[in-house]
């Protein structure tokens, strides 16, 4: 398993734990390299590995589509340079209330 696949798989597993602990009522499923999270309000996140571009792709019900590239061991948005975890923490803070 190359570095991208190892790191992205680990990241998806960590995101699974993040969503399960942040939104305990959410339906969280990691299957075939795709993380699906259906929030209690019915909105859905989809997060998956995109091997061709070596990115993690995220579809947020709040802020739309984002692509993240691994840079210096951190997943950064290809448009804004925002860290993946910072985006999700901000969304949790803004929309989970």
């Amino acid at each position: 398993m190359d570095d991208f696949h190892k790191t992205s798989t680990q990241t998806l597993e960590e995101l699974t734990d993040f969503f399960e602990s942040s939104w305990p009522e959410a339906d969280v499923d990691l299957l075939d390299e795709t993380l699906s999270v259906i929030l209690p309000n019915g909105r859905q996140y989809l997060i998956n590995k995109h091997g061709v571009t070596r990115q993690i792709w995220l579809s947020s019900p709040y802020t739309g589509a984002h692509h993240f590239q691994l840079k210096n061991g951190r997943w950064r948005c290809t448009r804004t340079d925002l860290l993946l975890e910072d985006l999700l923490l901000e969304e949790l803070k803004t929309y989970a209330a």
Side-chain angles (χ1 to χ4, degrees):
M1 185 180 292
D2 71 20
D3 192 46
F4 165 75
H5 290 292
K6 180 179 177 183
T7 304
S8 58
T9 296
Q10 179 181 350
T11 298
L12 288 176
E13 291 169 356
E14 291 169 356
L15 289 174
T16 299
D17 293 339
F18 166 79
F19 279 106
E20 289 176 339
S21 64
S22 300
W23 280 298
E25 307 84 24
D27 181 13
V28 181
D29 291 306
L30 177 59
L31 183 64
D32 295 330
E33 301 181 346
T34 298
L35 175 60
S36 170
V37 180
I38 301 174
L39 302 174
N41 63 9
R43 294 179 180 251
Q44 182 177 18
Y45 281 92
L46 285 175
I47 306 169
N48 67 298
K49 296 166 41 168
H50 192 262
V52 174
T53 60
R54 304 180 68 76
Q55 296 175 344
I56 288 182
W57 288 8
L58 176 138
S59 174
S60 165
Y62 302 107
T63 59
H66 303 272
H67 300 152
F68 294 87
Q69 189 81 38
L70 191 60
K71 295 180 185 174
N72 299 318
R74 308 289 297 272
W75 293 101
R76 294 197 169 272
C77 182
T78 58
R79 286 180 293 162
T80 65
D81 208 40
L82 186 66
L83 291 172
L84 174 60
E85 61 265 27
D86 290 346
L87 172 73
L88 291 173
L89 288 170
E90 182 63 28
E91 290 192 5
L92 173 65
K93 183 175 81 175
T94 303
Y95 301 107

